[in-house]
Amino acid sequence: MNTKYIFVTGGVVSSLGKGIISASIGKLLQARGFKVTIQKFDPYINIDPGTLNPYEHGECYVTEDGMETDLDLGHYERFTGIHTTRHNSITTGRIYKTVIDRERHGDYLGKTIQVVPHITDEIKRRMLREDEHGEDLDFVITEVGGTIGDIESAPFMEAIRQLRWQLGRDAVCVHLTYVPYLKAADELKTKPTQHSVKELQGMGIQPDILVLRTERHLDDSMRLKVASFCNVDLECVVQSEDVPSIYEVPVRMQRQGLDAAILRKIGIPVGETPTMKPWNNFLQKQRDAAREVHIALVGKYDLQDAYKSIRESLNLAGIYNDVKTKIHFVNSEEIAEENVAEKLSGVTGVVICPGFGQRGIEGKIIATEYTRTHDIPTFGICLGMQMMVIEFARNVLGYKDANSAEMNPDTPHNVIDMMEEQKSITEMGGTMRLGAYECELVPGSRTFELYGGETVIKERHRHRYEFNNKYKEEYETKGMKCVGINPAADLVEIVEIPALKWYIGTQFHPEYSSTVLRPHPLFMDFIKTCVNGTAEA
Ligand code: GLN
């Protein structure tokens, strides 16, 4: 079958969960045996979100091929298990850069370069994934960031309009809107949805399917009203009510026939409804999990989205261990020697989060000292691992001034140092050690056992600094083992203290590769250990 294209846009307000709906559509089509990919087009001018502050943009998700992307790609991967690449995350900045580079190269000699057709053509080319050869896809789902009516998303809408026309039945437009409930009137209001669809129609796009986000159930008469005002079939008006877990969304959508409606629009026989057994088993486990495990997340960004993949990885690992993971954010800037015990009281495990820069690192170091000396299961990720290493140097190896060259370039004991190949780099964007690299595990280590006996694993990175091999022997002698090494560059990727219950730090980010159906072994074992340390309720 030739590739079909699904476009997902959003109206009324932002933060409706377009990413979750796109990921759910992907999951449902995949369950029917189709080969699917999901890509996101963001209308901002940055080339990628790599240089954005998490307060602006939440977590930066890294693909295997080293692209820094939007956190929605994390949802796509967790829901579907597909591996996204740099082709799955496009920004206005990248579109313009390609066109401008081409103009400088002389590719358009004699022509005036304009938004239409040059920018829109480049958007279309990317929406059709013309750079991706050899990929045999049945469906490409394209989510467009932002909300209908934003000035900056107009070229994307124009590209979709043209593609709809060009592709005919091979393209479907799904529009996500919001139906607010007005408490004073005790009424649900469809007017914003009607306006949003009108705006879309004004751009020449007739949505095929409407997904209405709502906090209250919409009855059939409501749906019928929307259907008739918006020129959409009744069976194509689907509601997405608030649910306790985002992972319930695909089955809710399936029950209302969202995937079947898409197939009908395209003209593909609908066939039997897939049972989605593994997914439903997972949901059942999630519903059944009664006990709780309390985990502290020690970081400096006090917002849900900043550590999205870590939170999801902890939740998923909890569900597979039959517990609900309760995450307690602990701001590392507020941790001091005097209060660390109180700050970490009530948790059975601690995650030391990734991050950049000086702010909040001393609190992280105090936390790692406390958990190491009190044998509390601790998982250090990227900067978190580096903090474990620094703490060990200061308090066990006796180098009181040990630090990372990132925080103090002049430290005499640079146990974390800048990588050689990073030293000559002056550009900030996309220049870190990014993407999946090989790591050789040391047989006999806990980590080796956890990966099921595999000797070489591949995990994703996003950092500039590294463990300084000059100190490796001292660490090993004193009990912190280097149990994962990148064979090509001889870089230490994993440290563990085998004498403790669970004290592991990874220079890579295992959270990027934990999915609903394949939770990551490190998170699984970390939570399992924490559960074992939790008293029965
Ligand atoms: N700032 C550290 C580095 O660049 C760690 C980065 C991270 O935690 N992602 O090496």
Side-chain angles (χ1 to χ4, degrees):
M1 133 177 161
N2 57 336
T3 310
K4 318 288 180 196
Y5 298 85
I6 300 170
F7 299 101
V8 182
T9 56
V12 184
V13 286
S14 59
S15 305
L16 290 179
K18 249 184 302 160
I20 306 292
I21 293 295
S22 305
S24 300
I25 294 173
K27 178 77 216 165
L28 292 177
L29 292 171
Q30 211 184 33
R32 290 177 179 272
F34 295 111
K35 191 143 187 278
V36 174
T37 198
I38 317 176
Q39 53 187 5
K40 174 134 193 216
F41 283 60
D42 272 308
Y44 54 77
I45 316 264
N46 304 60
I47 296 289
D48 60 47
T51 55
L52 291 180
N53 188 319
Y55 289 119
E56 292 267 322
H57 195 266
E59 165 187 282
C60 181
Y61 185 80
V62 179
T63 60
E64 280 189 337
D65 66 343
M67 184 81 199
E68 297 173 282
T69 73
D70 188 80
L71 57 77
D72 273 327
L73 272 83
H75 292 309
Y76 305 164
E77 292 208 8
R78 281 189 288 277
F79 275 60
T80 63
I82 57 170
H83 297 279
T84 55
T85 68
R86 55 189 58 247
H87 298 293
N88 293 62
S89 174
I90 310 288
T91 64
T92 292
R94 270 178 89 192
I95 301 280
Y96 270 79
K97 186 161 189 319
T98 314
V99 172
I100 292 169
D101 285 351
R102 243 184 249 148
E103 185 270 340
R104 293 287 81 184
H105 187 247
D107 293 3
Y108 310 101
L109 273 188
K111 291 263 180 293
T112 308
I113 313 302
Q114 294 177 298
V115 173
V116 182
H118 301 98
I119 295 298
T120 46
D121 279 354
E122 181 56 21
I123 295 174
K124 280 163 60 182
R125 214 176 61 76
R126 303 250 186 183
M127 283 178 169
L128 295 172
R129 294 175 75 82
E130 286 180 5
D131 285 339
E132 262 297 65
H133 306 291
E135 226 192 3
D136 227 354
L137 291 166
D138 298 317
F139 284 94
V140 173
I141 300 165
T142 300
E143 176 191 348
V144 179
T147 311
I148 293 301
D150 295 346
I151 291 174
E152 53 192 17
S153 62
F156 294 98
M157 295 305 138
E158 172 59 12
I160 293 177
R161 185 195 67 76
Q162 292 183 19
L163 282 177
R164 262 307 287 289
W165 184 249
Q166 197 177 310
L167 295 164
R169 274 190 99 178
D170 285 350
V172 167
C173 290
V174 178
H175 188 55
L176 181 66
T177 73
Y178 182 52
V179 178
Y181 168 73
L182 295 189
K183 206 167 152 206
D186 188 24
E187 264 180 72
L188 286 152
K189 293 292 184 189
T190 62
K191 200 74 169 183
T193 295
Q194 296 175 39
H195 277 300
S196 178
V197 172
K198 276 220 170 70
E199 186 136 15
L200 205 53
Q201 288 166 339
M203 292 184 227
I205 301 170
Q206 169 61 46
D208 299 286
I209 291 169
L210 294 175
V211 179
L212 312 178
R213 284 283 290 115
T214 171
E215 283 157 39
R216 306 241 167 162
H217 185 77
L218 302 173
D219 60 23
D220 285 352
S221 67
M222 274 282 180
R223 287 178 44 243
L224 191 60
K225 188 169 162 191
V226 172
S228 52
F229 276 116
C230 301
N231 304 346
V232 174
D233 300 333
L234 179 60
E235 63 146 24
C236 294
V237 181
V238 167
Q239 59 183 307
S240 174
E241 272 179 87
D242 282 1
V243 275
S245 153
I246 54 172
Y247 302 114
E248 298 273 355
V249 176
V251 290
R252 297 284 180 122
M253 294 299 108
Q254 187 189 46
R255 245 178 261 153
Q256 293 179 72
L258 175 60
D259 51 339
I262 291 173
L263 294 178
R264 250 179 247 123
K265 281 281 164 199
I266 289 175
I268 297 174
V270 173
E272 300 235 325
T273 308
T275 55
M276 304 228 298
K277 217 160 178 201
W279 191 273
N280 277 306
N281 287 347
F282 161 81
L283 291 180
Q284 197 50 49
K285 267 182 119 40
Q286 175 167 265
R287 289 177 208 125
D288 290 345
R291 259 178 92 187
E292 291 179 346
V293 66
H294 293 262
I295 306 293
L297 205 60
V298 176
K300 66 176 169 183
Y301 300 111
D302 191 2
L303 83 167
Q304 284 282 332
D305 280 354
Y307 308 109
K308 190 79 189 163
S309 294
I310 295 181
R311 285 177 180 272
E312 290 308 319
S313 300
L314 291 168
N315 287 336
L316 295 172
I319 292 161
Y320 283 101
N321 277 293
D322 303 313
V323 292
K324 275 195 179 70
T325 310
K326 293 278 165 195
I327 297 170
H328 305 265
F329 177 75
V330 181
N331 190 336
S332 57
E333 284 181 280
E334 291 163 13
I335 298 179
E337 298 280 1
E338 313 78 68
N339 66 15
V340 61
E342 177 214 330
K343 291 268 180 203
L344 298 179
S345 66
V347 302
T348 45
V350 176
V351 175
I352 313 288
C353 290
F356 294 84
Q358 173 72 35
R359 186 165 68 85
I361 70 147
E362 292 304 325
K364 284 184 177 171
I365 294 172
I366 293 169
T368 52
E369 180 184 4
Y370 182 80
T371 58
R372 181 179 59 77
T373 52
H374 291 75
D375 200 3
I376 298 170
T378 310
F379 196 170
I381 301 177
C382 206
L383 184 72
M385 172 266 201
Q386 298 177 354
M387 295 303 113
M388 284 174 155
V389 168
I390 293 170
E391 187 277 319
F392 199 85
R394 289 186 186 176
N395 299 320
V396 180
L397 306 185
Y399 301 129
K400 288 290 165 219
D401 50 9
N403 214 331
S404 161
E406 178 181 5
M407 316 307 165
N408 177 7
D410 301 322
T411 175
H413 294 105
N414 50 344
V415 290
I416 301 293
D417 199 14
M418 186 176 264
M419 282 181 277
E420 217 31 65
E421 50 296 6
Q422 288 285 334
K423 290 187 179 158
S424 54
I425 292 175
T426 50
E427 297 277 301
M428 285 304 272
T431 55
M432 281 186 270
R433 184 172 182 232
L434 291 166
Y437 285 88
E438 283 194 343
C439 173
E440 236 168 60
L441 302 175
V442 174
S445 64
R446 179 162 197 149
T447 314
F448 174 79
E449 300 301 327
L450 294 182
Y451 277 94
E454 277 179 68
T455 7
V456 182
I457 55 156
K458 257 184 148 183
E459 293 281 5
R460 300 179 215 183
H461 294 249
R462 182 177 186 240
H463 58 111
R464 279 204 170 81
Y465 297 84
E466 274 291 341
F467 182 97
N468 186 343
N469 279 333
K470 210 171 85 187
Y471 295 92
K472 193 169 160 193
E473 221 179 285
E474 281 183 74
Y475 275 93
E476 299 232 305
T477 315
K478 292 282 169 64
M480 183 178 266
K481 305 285 181 195
C482 302
V483 298
I485 309 288
N486 169 259
D490 193 29
L491 298 171
V492 173
E493 314 282 36
I494 310 170
V495 295
E496 66 180 52
I497 301 183
L500 297 177
K501 269 191 233 133
W502 212 101
Y503 200 85
I504 298 178
T506 61
Q507 187 57 79
F508 52 76
H509 293 260
E511 71 273 22
Y512 294 146
S513 52
S514 200
T515 70
V516 172
L517 297 183
R518 294 190 64 190
H520 195 284
L522 283 171
F523 282 97
M524 284 290 279
D525 193 61
F526 172 65
I527 292 289
K528 189 170 157 200
T529 311
C530 297
V531 174
N532 290 339
T534 309
E536 280 288 345

